[in-house]
Amino acid sequence: SVNPDLASERQTASFSVEKLTALLDGGAEQTRIRRAVVEAIESDPVFSRENQYFQTQNERYEAAVRKAVHLQKKMHEMGWTENGPEYKYIYRALSGDVAFLLHRVFMRSISVLGSDKQIAKWIPPATQHQLIGSYAQTELGHGTYLQGLETTAVFDIATQEFILNTPKISAMKWWPGDMGRSATHTVVFAQLYIHGKCYGIHPFIVQIRSLQDHSLCPGVTAGDIGPKMNFEHIDNGYLMLKNVRIPRDNMLSKFCEVRPDGTYVRQGSQKINYFTMTTVRISLISDEVLTPLMKACTIAIRYSAVRRQSKLKPGEQEAKILDYQTQQEKLLPQLAAAYAFHFINDYLQKLFDRGYREIQRKNFDMLPELHALSSGFKAVITHHCTAAVEICLRACGGHGYSLLSGLPSLYTKILASCIYEGENTILLLQTARFLIKCFMAASTGQPVPPSVTYLAAVKPEKCPAKKKSDFLNPDIYTEAYQHVAVRLISSTAAKLQDLVQSGVKKYDAWNQCTVQLVQAAKAHCHYITVKNFAETVEKLETKAGIQRIMKHLCDLFALHGIFSNTGAFLHDGYVSAAQMDMVTASYLDLLAVIRKDAVPLVDAFDFTDKSLNSALGSYDGQVYQRLYEWAQKSPTNKMSPAYERYLKPLLHNTLSKL
Amino acid sequence: AAAMSMNADLRRERAAATFQPELLTHILDGGPERTRRRKEIEALVLNDPDFQHEDLNFLSRSQRYEQAIRKSSLMVMKLREYGIADPEEIFWFKSFVHRGRPEPLDLHLGMFLPTLLTQATPEQQDRFFMPAWNLEIIGTYAQTEMGHGTHLRGLETTATYDPATQEFILNSPTVTSIKWWPGGLGKTSNHAIVLAQLYTQGQCKGLHAFIVPIRQLGTHEPLPGITVGDIGPKFGYDEMDNGYLKMDNFRIPRENMLMKYAQVEPDGTYVKPVSDKLTYGTMVFIRSIIVGDSARSLSRACTIAIRYSAVRHQSELKPGEPEPQILDYQTQQYKLFPLLATAYAFHFVGAYIKDTYHRISGDINAGDLSELPELHALTAGLKAFTSWAANAGIEECRMACGGHGYSRCSGIPDIYVTFTPSCTYEGENTVMMLQTARFLVKSYTQVSSGQQVTGTVSYLNDLSRQRIQPQHVAARTVTVRINDPLSLVEAYKARAARLVEAAAKNLQAELNHRKSKEDAWNRTSVDLVRASEAHCHYVVVKLFTAKLSEVSNAAVRAVLTDLCLLYALFGISKNTGDFLQAGILTSAQITQVNQHVKELLAVIRPNAVALVDSFDFHDVHLGSVLGRYDGNVYENMFEWAKKSPLNKTQVHASFHKHLKPMQAKL
């Protein structure tokens, strides 16, 4: 039965939860397909995550391999294919707890970087899992800066082979998933040398383990890099190569080729290749970033409606902690952010689909803008959502600290997203470089891409709000965000120019302004997110209360951003001190409004209990009973050898000299 | 492994420092003699083969618990053998043995024994204290329940007195009343001090403490009527058997209620305690430890991140030149140096609270409690303020180490998961901030009604003066000199005053609109927390600034002054809105502040490694491959990884079980 404290929350929903779920899924039909996939996966005991929190690294890894193998069978059984509508829901249904994710990257890099001949040779056996691939780019000493990679591939004309080497310890490949224990092959990125001349980084297919007995190939040293904060199920690996020889044909050669005589030939445009890298940053947002945040919100908000602590009114029952303003102020902005980023993700996906079509028609005009957007939004969304999950975790007090709450593993997993696929600070600086360039262009009247045309527009110098309800007008707050973005970008551009004019070298000037540049890039992304949220709300159907509640969330997201960064808006007097008090008042009022729909708003994310895997966040709200039952399953509750070995002598005073 | 020399980058960093790190270490320890003694105890532990063991990162939870209990047993024995009895020295010893981690006897040593000393009658001490001292009895302190943490009065466990048998009958009447979280309860303890609602003669007399045996002496099996166990895996605290305890009509003799203060007579008559203010003192003490812990944990994370950033090279700053140390990037300095300054600030705050506690504990024993309310309010807020900042700071340090920070070999994940519960335990931080706010609002009300207030809130007195002679915003701003710490203290003071006033006024406005006081308080609580934060921030800046004048060595004072300025200015740049809105600083001054922060980063840069060396963490204690003193990071990461459990066999078992059959089938 459902805990009455949670049941009552659902009775008063101001909107149709089912309609909102369909909106999030992109249509009722999508919801139906997703639910069918989830049902098929969750009803199969092989995919169970029931004991996940009690398992060791070795056990987690083995389970992930087992699931990956079983998944092949399942897909065949269900008639799911990689191009079918079900495919994108499988990973979500598994909560990512499956091996061979890098195998997919291995295959994609061959498809993108390989010649037709190479694709024909490698893709069929890879599809059949006759070999398992990984993708070895990052080294112990190099991550962000690809040109700095130290692995070498020297062409030997005599044997028509490349000789691969790890010349020093910092050149060891480090981190690639599936490489520590599973992979038989990997794409290695190495500096290509022909006749003693370096031609830069190129990809090579290298076999690392025997296809017969899985032992390491001669010259190969590989293993697992040891325990991490999460991803215990993945065997992130290291790889050292000593005079490993591979045939000339193993260099992926769609764009660059080494001819038998050692001639180096570059062919075609790599732009489409860069574009592929760029899209990865966007494609990870949904599964790796938004899903964990939505789960964390679901757990924390349901728990806050069940947990009662202290009294709000004397003589009454203890209050739900969700009724405390401070608790609302922790959780509801995170909920609003989950929706805001869901909509910006939709926007980015559509933009990238369009970009893809243009690029296929050899029109590369959109590339710089898409690159800047993907870098900036990857950084801003991963950073924001990671912080948000941690807030959810800490808002659950002591019980949030238990692994059984599900929150620690959501947190440790999402926070890796701030680092992989481009370290966030570096990415923001790439966006900033684009913004500065566009600002310069706009100020001299040159055309700029659509997302930055606002840099050229002339806008009022003061915020026109007269009363606190004015701040519930999307035009008012969107313009305030725009103003801040323009101010930060233009002042940083001016500063850069000043420095250069005063004789500072360009690169020094850049480094001296990087803190400001990062702030400018963030402000730009924040503005676009707010603007997109407001525009999305505008277009929603008014039926079933959806538009109204989304409008509240949009307002909350926007005002929370101002409330937590007041200085940026007050700085040049755009928002006055009195107006800022109106913002605060409006913002705090909204908390109480959204509070009423908080539980339905997380119900709409439509996570099953199995997928949440949380003693605190289940749909029925039977928190304490579940916590107690799950704890009893802990291996620590089997008799520990510690008693006989240490406790008994201690208690019986047989330890010498005690 | 062959002895390796020091990494060249770190050697260069250390040679370039403008001050002697040992001198700063002495200041942090409280004098050269304390440093010497600390290192002596450290050597005692670290050179002892009994305290060596495999890297804990490679052990399962059960194995980690087992190691911890082994070391704890030896620790108790050796402490007595060496005659170490000073609380601070015991703390050092314990911290070196367990490398800054919790251990299963923490609650026995830190709560069970002290509670016996303070709340047991002489007769009870005879019965329990020596057996507990000799570890025949191992106890814990069972207060928190599954459904109740913060709000003590809501605890549901009952102890009903039965005059017929002269026993208390203990019960856990609901699932939510199960005791949950107490350390050492799950597997280690055979006794617990249980907090329960006392019922006698049909009336509830509120919470009282009872000594409850939970496991059979000899067999260690749970006693009939007792259900006890481990609450399962957590984010951290793997060494600790946090436990649950459920009692079903479990009877204990009347003499097992701790009766130094309140009593139940044989016939069931209840005798009230005299005063409960005394418990304030203990809370102040425990919170001072958490503030110190915030400083230490953040210092460890900074040590790792800054040393690693001096060793790691990446990308290009100048075209054509070798890859620079990542510590040379402004964005990296901007992440790390303010945290370094924060770690120093919190060290001084922690020392201040501890000294103040010791100074007035004589007064407390003599019954003079006049200073206690303020100290209690202040430490509540500072506990929250410092633990929040340290919690976030540790994560920033980890992020600043990129991918390698995510590996457990960096040591930072462990620091984080061990530290983060301090935002919750001993008073949930938001609740703590609201306690401080209550005191601030009370002081503000006093000032408004014409009374003077003293101590850290005395700046509120100025508010009434301002009301008499309203100053123009511009008139107040010109006084702030951004290069002068004392002037910045004034700016923080003005910010605190403004936010306290705003919160108090909003509270009053709510009160005018609503009937319920509690409702009004709740609707103002976000403002109130902000006011408390501003107050605590002011106190930290003030204490850091005050410390500068105590430093005699000019070179050390210079570098601490840079850090103090950075701490104060960075705090302004992160909260510009408060200073702008109140008219304390102009936009032009804010721009100067931002600029000056960046200049200070460059000033501190040459001393960064020496400043973390001064924290003087031994490599074993630091537990980080990235933060090693010698900087030989990459070689040792490889050595470390080879020991991973997944590397135990060359071909993993799952190959034969799953991979091979699949390849055969397809």
Side-chain angles (χ1 to χ4, degrees):
Chain A
S1 69
V2 174
N3 183 316
D5 280 337
L6 213 42
S8 65
E9 298 283 340
R10 293 179 174 127
Q11 275 157 14
T12 53
S14 76
F15 64 94
S16 155
V17 172
E18 188 62 23
K19 283 246 162 63
L20 184 52
T21 301
L23 173 69
L24 291 170
D25 279 323
E29 175 60 11
Q30 292 297 313
T31 302
R32 193 192 59 76
I33 298 172
R34 178 176 56 73
R35 283 179 181 159
V37 171
V38 168
E39 166 61 23
I41 298 273
E42 289 186 349
S43 60
D44 188 330
V46 175
F47 296 121
S48 165
R49 293 192 298 133
E50 196 186 329
N51 291 314
Q52 181 178 306
Y53 302 129
F54 305 129
Q55 287 173 330
T56 64
Q57 198 191 354
N58 263 322
E59 290 163 343
R60 289 288 306 276
Y61 166 68
E62 188 180 328
V65 171
R66 183 168 170 233
K67 287 179 189 181
V69 169
H70 188 68
L71 181 61
Q72 302 308 313
K73 206 175 120 197
K74 192 83 191 174
M75 285 181 62
H76 184 71
E77 211 176 278
M78 301 297 297
W80 299 336
T81 65
E82 301 213 354
N83 303 316
E86 296 89 0
Y87 192 69
K88 65 174 171 179
Y89 298 121
I90 296 175
Y91 185 78
R92 167 172 158 147
L94 292 166
S95 291
D97 199 39
V98 62
F100 307 159
L101 298 175
L102 266 283
H103 183 65
R104 272 154 63 181
V105 179
F106 171 81
M107 286 174 50
R108 193 175 59 214
S109 52
I110 293 175
S111 310
V112 173
L113 303 171
S115 63
D116 292 344
K117 206 175 122 199
Q118 287 169 325
I119 294 172
K121 178 178 175 190
W122 294 100
I123 295 298
T127 311
Q128 298 288 306
H129 284 86
Q130 282 163 3
L131 52 92
I132 293 164
S134 175
Y135 180 88
Q137 179 177 299
T138 303
E139 294 173 359
L140 198 40
H142 287 93
T144 304
Y145 185 62
L146 287 188
Q147 291 107 295
L149 293 179
E150 296 172 291
T151 304
T152 58
V154 178
F155 185 56
D156 179 358
I157 297 186
T159 60
Q160 293 286 302
E161 290 171 321
F162 294 105
I163 310 163
L164 279 97
N165 268 297
T166 304
K168 56 204 265 209
I169 195 118
S170 57
M172 203 179 339
K173 294 294 174 186
W174 200 270
W175 281 112
D178 295 333
M179 196 172 76
R181 303 273 82 186
S182 304
T184 60
H185 289 68
T186 183
V187 172
V188 171
F189 282 78
Q191 303 283 0
L192 167 65
Y193 284 87
I194 309 168
H195 297 310
K197 188 181 166 201
C198 182
Y199 287 85
I201 291 295
H202 289 75
F204 302 86
I205 299 178
V206 181
Q207 181 173 354
I208 57 172
R209 287 192 176 86
S210 155
L211 290 173
Q212 301 311 312
D213 61 5
H214 216 59
S215 61
L216 291 170
C217 294
V220 172
T221 306
D224 175 85
I225 62 160
K228 300 140 294 190
M229 287 191 92
N230 198 323
F231 293 92
E232 291 101 332
H233 62 294
I234 300 288
D235 53 323
N236 296 86
Y238 59 77
L239 173 70
M240 235 196 301
L241 302 169
K242 196 173 175 199
N243 291 322
V244 172
R245 287 175 169 265
I246 55 168
R248 190 178 60 90
D249 291 343
N250 279 25
M251 180 173 124
L252 291 175
S253 56
K254 181 165 185 180
F255 301 109
C256 306
E257 193 187 354
V258 178
R259 299 251 166 92
D261 65 351
T263 317
Y264 178 83
V265 190
R266 195 179 277 280
Q267 55 202 357
S269 166
Q270 289 211 50
K271 278 184 177 167
I272 185 100
N273 175 27
Y274 288 127
F275 180 70
T276 312
M277 306 240 262
T278 296
T279 53
V280 173
R281 293 188 181 132
I282 295 302
S283 65
L284 67 87
I285 290 174
S286 175
D287 280 339
E288 304 295 343
V289 188
L290 295 181
T291 301
L293 174 58
M294 288 171 174
K295 283 185 179 177
C297 286
T298 307
I299 295 167
I301 287 178
R302 285 185 184 158
Y303 175 64
S304 298
V306 169
R307 176 82 172 177
R308 288 177 175 274
Q309 204 74 187
S310 305
K311 295 186 180 182
L312 266 175
K313 284 170 196 158
E316 283 191 6
Q317 192 183 6
E318 290 183 62
K320 292 178 179 183
I321 58 175
L322 193 54
D323 285 327
Y324 291 93
Q325 191 189 49
T326 47
Q327 186 76 355
Q328 294 164 8
E329 214 269 318
K330 285 174 194 172
L331 295 178
L332 301 183
Q334 317 318 323
L335 179 62
Y339 279 94
F341 292 136
H342 171 85
F343 292 124
I344 196 74
N345 184 47
D346 270 357
Y347 161 83
L348 291 169
Q349 296 290 355
K350 280 180 197 133
L351 197 66
F352 273 74
D353 287 346
R354 190 155 60 84
Y356 189 71
R357 288 194 300 274
E358 289 298 317
I359 286 164
Q360 279 183 322
R361 279 190 274 156
K362 304 277 179 226
N363 173 7
F364 299 110
D365 292 352
M366 279 177 80
L367 258 183
E369 186 187 24
L370 292 177
H371 181 72
L373 283 171
S374 77
S375 307
F377 275 105
K378 185 270 178 181
V380 165
I381 296 176
T382 55
H383 176 82
H384 200 117
C385 294
T386 298
V389 172
E390 208 222 358
I391 291 171
C392 292
L393 191 161
R394 282 193 285 130
C396 292
H399 294 327
Y401 190 71
S402 167
L403 287 195
L404 307 181
S405 74
L407 291 166
S409 36
L410 286 171
Y411 176 60
T412 50
K413 203 167 178 196
I414 193 177
L415 61 80
S417 70
C418 295
I419 300 156
Y420 60 61
E421 296 300 333
E423 197 276 330
N424 279 353
T425 303
I426 311 281
L427 292 181
L428 287 167
L429 288 172
Q430 288 179 12
T431 305
R433 207 177 277 280
F434 168 82
L435 292 172
I436 296 291
K437 219 168 131 185
C438 292
F439 177 78
M440 297 307 211
S443 51
T444 56
Q446 290 165 268
V448 291
S451 63
V452 285
T453 45
Y454 74 93
L455 291 174
V458 183
K459 291 283 173 182
E461 289 303 304
K462 299 276 174 212
C463 171
K466 301 246 176 339
K467 51 188 188 301
K468 75 174 181 181
S469 62
D470 288 346
F471 280 102
L472 302 179
N473 176 349
D475 292 342
I476 298 274
Y477 54 68
T478 306
E479 267 174 27
Y481 273 95
Q482 189 190 88
H483 179 85
V484 169
V486 172
R487 178 174 66 75
L488 287 172
I489 294 164
S490 62
S491 68
T492 313
K495 177 87 188 292
L496 271 171
Q497 232 172 0
D498 284 355
L499 283 170
V500 172
Q501 272 166 10
S502 70
V504 179
K505 291 263 192 313
K506 247 187 172 167
Y507 50 80
D508 265 341
W510 182 262
N511 191 33
Q512 282 179 40
C513 291
T514 43
V515 167
Q516 271 168 280
L517 287 161
V518 165
Q519 283 162 354
K522 282 184 186 168
H524 168 72
C525 293
H526 210 154
Y527 158 60
I528 306 259
T529 309
V530 169
K531 180 167 159 264
N532 178 66
F533 201 167
E535 285 169 1
T536 305
V537 168
E538 190 82 357
K539 283 179 254 161
L540 289 175
E541 56 172 337
T542 48
K543 274 185 296 183
I546 304 281
Q547 193 190 41
R548 195 159 40 94
I549 187 68
M550 288 298 111
K551 165 76 167 58
H552 289 321
L553 284 175
C554 179
D555 294 346
L556 186 75
F557 179 76
L559 296 187
H560 174 75
I562 302 177
F563 173 78
S564 25
N565 195 13
T566 53
F569 295 84
L570 290 163
H571 189 87
D572 58 352
Y574 182 80
V575 172
S576 70
Q579 284 173 326
M580 195 51 83
D581 285 338
M582 296 173 197
V583 169
T584 306
S586 243
Y587 166 64
L588 294 177
D589 286 349
L590 271 172
L591 293 177
V593 172
I594 294 169
R595 153 70 187 89
K596 294 181 199 136
D597 280 319
V599 169
L601 280 167
V602 297
D603 284 351
F605 295 142
D606 200 28
F607 292 109
T608 61
D609 285 354
K610 279 184 178 159
S611 127
L612 290 172
N613 208 13
S614 164
L616 303 189
S618 294
Y619 187 83
D620 67 9
Q622 300 297 351
V623 167
Y624 298 115
Q625 191 60 39
R626 197 167 273 112
L627 207 46
Y628 186 44
E629 281 166 15
W630 287 15
Q632 284 164 324
K633 292 192 289 187
S634 170
T636 41
N637 283 326
K638 299 185 186 106
M639 198 59 185
S640 154
Y643 174 68
E644 283 297 325
R645 271 187 223 160
Y646 304 110
L647 268 181
K648 198 168 167 185
L650 183 69
L651 291 160
H652 292 210
N653 238 332
T654 49
L655 278 175
S656 57
K657 288 187 266 181
L658 191 78
Chain B
M4 281 181 278
S5 56
M6 192 191 291
N7 172 291
D9 287 315
L10 280 186
R11 195 174 333 117
R12 207 168 36 246
E13 294 288 340
R14 287 175 176 134
T18 63
F19 71 101
Q20 278 179 276
E22 305 82 59
L23 296 180
L24 189 44
T25 306
H26 296 161
I27 293 173
L28 293 171
D29 279 325
E33 175 52 27
R34 302 299 294 159
T35 301
R36 190 197 61 74
R37 180 64 179 148
R38 177 175 57 76
K39 290 177 102 74
E40 190 171 77
I41 289 175
E42 185 176 83
L44 217 50
V45 173
L46 298 182
N47 297 331
D48 187 335
D50 282 346
F51 291 128
Q52 310 298 318
H53 50 76
E54 199 183 337
D55 190 318
L56 297 175
N57 286 301
F58 302 128
L59 302 182
S60 71
R61 229 201 110 206
S62 283
Q63 290 167 322
R64 285 174 77 149
Y65 168 68
E66 195 179 322
Q67 276 298 342
I69 202 91
R70 180 184 73 80
K71 288 198 291 182
S72 293
S73 322
L74 288 166
M75 175 184 80
V76 171
M77 198 170 79
K78 295 198 180 197
L79 275 172
R80 289 175 198 176
E81 186 184 315
Y82 298 135
I84 295 173
D86 172 72
E88 187 158 7
E89 295 188 359
I90 292 175
F91 175 82
W92 286 336
F93 195 93
K94 181 177 122 46
S95 155
F96 297 137
V97 168
H98 291 283
R99 298 162 192 192
R101 291 187 175 87
E103 51 109 353
L105 294 186
D106 272 350
L107 273 277
H108 178 75
L109 302 171
M111 287 300 285
F112 190 78
L113 288 174
T115 306
L116 285 181
L117 283 176
T118 54
Q119 294 188 41
T121 64
E123 179 272 329
Q124 288 173 323
Q125 296 206 5
D126 285 349
R127 263 199 304 149
F128 293 108
F129 192 80
M130 279 324 284
W133 180 252
N134 290 328
L135 297 173
E136 288 155 32
I137 288 178
I138 296 179
T140 179
Y141 190 82
Q143 176 178 298
T144 302
E145 294 173 359
M146 209 192 279
H148 302 276
T150 304
H151 185 61
L152 283 188
R153 275 165 295 167
L155 294 179
E156 295 175 274
T157 304
T158 58
T160 309
Y161 185 62
D162 176 1
T165 59
Q166 305 221 356
E167 289 171 321
F168 290 103
I169 310 163
L170 282 122
N171 269 300
S172 311
T174 59
V175 178
T176 46
S177 75
I178 296 172
K179 294 291 178 188
W180 201 267
W181 281 112
L185 173 64
K187 299 276 114 183
T188 312
S189 301
N190 54 25
H191 281 68
I193 289 175
V194 170
L195 267 83
Q197 304 284 359
L198 166 64
Y199 284 87
T200 183
Q201 298 175 335
Q203 279 185 312
C204 180
K205 299 291 179 188
L207 280 187
H208 290 76
F210 303 85
I211 301 176
V212 180
I214 55 175
R215 288 178 184 270
Q216 183 71 51
L217 298 183
T219 66
H220 210 57
E221 291 293 333
L223 293 165
I226 295 287
T227 309
V228 65
D230 176 86
I231 62 164
K234 295 145 297 188
F235 207 175
Y237 272 55
D238 282 356
E239 290 75 14
M240 181 68 101
D241 54 323
N242 296 85
Y244 60 78
L245 171 67
K246 186 169 173 289
M247 293 168 292
D248 296 298
N249 289 318
F250 188 76
R251 287 174 172 263
I252 56 169
R254 185 183 66 92
E255 296 80 11
N256 277 26
M257 174 174 141
L258 287 173
M259 293 214 260
K260 187 166 174 186
Y261 301 110
Q263 286 167 20
V264 172
E265 293 179 346
D267 66 349
T269 309
Y270 178 73
V271 185
K272 258 202 206 162
V274 205
S275 158
D276 55 358
K277 267 211 169 155
L278 282 165
T279 51
Y280 271 16
T282 321
M283 283 200 264
V284 168
F285 180 70
I286 292 173
R287 286 169 194 167
S288 79
I289 290 177
I290 296 178
V291 173
D293 207 29
S294 302
R296 274 183 300 275
S297 300
L298 184 55
S299 306
R300 282 172 71 186
C302 284
T303 305
I304 295 166
I306 288 180
R307 285 186 186 156
Y308 176 64
S309 298
V311 170
R312 176 89 171 172
H313 289 253
Q314 203 77 185
S315 304
E316 279 183 339
L317 263 177
K318 294 173 196 176
E321 289 203 3
E323 296 179 69
Q325 293 163 289
I326 58 174
L327 199 53
D328 285 334
Y329 289 95
Q330 189 190 54
T331 46
Q332 187 77 350
Q333 295 167 5
Y334 190 72
K335 286 175 196 170
L336 295 176
F337 295 169
L339 296 173
L340 179 63
T342 305
Y344 273 95
F346 291 178
H347 269 290
F348 300 134
V349 174
Y352 166 83
I353 302 178
K354 206 169 69 186
D355 290 349
T356 312
Y357 172 74
H358 287 309
R359 180 172 61 76
I360 69 166
S361 58
D363 300 346
I364 298 173
N365 288 337
D368 173 9
L369 304 177
S370 56
E371 278 191 74
L372 213 44
E374 189 201 341
L375 193 60
H376 183 247
L378 181 65
T379 52
L382 286 173
K383 179 261 177 188
F385 184 82
T386 60
S387 61
W388 266 338
N391 185 71
I394 294 164
E395 278 298 74
E396 276 206 61
C397 287
R398 188 187 53 68
M399 289 286 203
C401 295
H404 295 333
Y406 192 73
S407 165
R408 292 205 173 254
C409 79
S410 77
I412 308 184
D414 214 71
I415 297 172
Y416 174 72
V417 297
T418 305
F419 180 76
T420 191
S422 54
C423 295
T424 309
Y425 62 57
E426 298 299 336
E428 198 277 325
N429 277 357
T430 303
V431 177
M432 291 295 97
M433 281 297 187
L434 288 171
Q435 279 187 16
T436 305
R438 211 171 276 281
F439 179 78
L440 295 173
V441 169
K442 205 170 128 195
S443 304
Y444 177 83
T445 314
Q446 281 175 332
V447 169
S448 311
S449 64
Q451 288 171 269
Q452 289 273 308
V453 291
T454 56
T456 55
V457 287
S458 54
Y459 60 83
L460 293 173
N461 295 326
D462 302 343
L463 280 173
S464 57
R465 233 170 288 144
Q466 277 168 23
R467 260 193 303 279
I468 302 162
Q469 283 180 305
Q471 284 176 299
H472 287 293
V473 166
R476 261 187 281 157
T477 53
V478 287
T479 55
V480 179
R481 296 175 308 278
I482 65 165
N483 282 316
D484 176 6
L486 286 170
S487 180
L488 296 175
V489 172
E490 293 303 311
Y492 273 93
K493 200 190 254 188
R495 168 187 177 229
R498 191 244 162 210
L499 287 175
V500 171
E501 181 171 47
K505 282 183 171 166
N506 288 348
L507 179 64
Q508 193 52 52
E510 289 290 343
L511 278 170
N512 295 344
H513 284 117
R514 275 156 233 281
K515 279 178 219 134
S516 151
K517 254 201 316 204
E518 289 76 9
D519 205 18
W521 181 263
N522 187 30
R523 293 187 62 95
T524 323
S525 51
V526 169
D527 292 332
L528 290 161
V529 169
R530 281 177 86 191
S532 289
E533 282 180 318
H535 175 72
C536 293
H537 209 156
Y538 151 67
V539 171
V540 175
V541 172
K542 184 177 112 128
L543 291 175
F544 198 165
T545 304
K547 188 74 196 175
L548 299 176
S549 57
E550 295 172 23
V551 179
S552 53
N553 180 284
V556 173
R557 191 171 57 242
V559 72
L560 281 180
T561 305
D562 293 336
L563 284 176
C564 180
L565 272 173
L566 179 64
Y567 180 77
L569 293 174
F570 184 78
I572 293 174
S573 79
K574 283 280 140 185
N575 296 283
T576 53
D578 291 349
F579 293 89
L580 285 169
Q581 202 178 357
I584 302 161
L585 293 168
T586 62
S587 293
Q589 282 177 310
I590 294 290
T591 306
Q592 285 170 25
V593 166
N594 290 336
Q595 184 55 32
H596 201 40
V597 164
K598 284 182 269 177
E599 286 161 14
L600 280 166
L601 297 178
V603 171
I604 290 165
R605 168 67 187 85
N607 280 322
V609 169
L611 280 166
V612 296
D613 285 350
S614 303
F615 292 136
D616 199 25
F617 290 110
H618 191 285
D619 274 353
V620 174
H621 190 57
L622 206 53
S624 166
V625 180
L626 301 191
R628 293 169 61 95
Y629 185 81
D630 69 8
N632 293 313
V633 169
Y634 297 131
E635 300 83 344
N636 286 288
M637 277 181 81
F638 187 36
E639 291 306 311
W640 182 86
K642 285 192 227 165
K643 295 181 214 150
S644 166
L646 245 62
N647 289 330
K648 283 266 157 68
T649 55
Q650 190 57 255
V651 176
H652 196 269
S654 58
F655 171 72
H656 299 290
K657 262 194 199 158
H658 305 296
L659 283 180
K660 209 169 174 187
M662 169 176 74
Q663 288 167 343
K665 255 182 267 164
L666 286 165

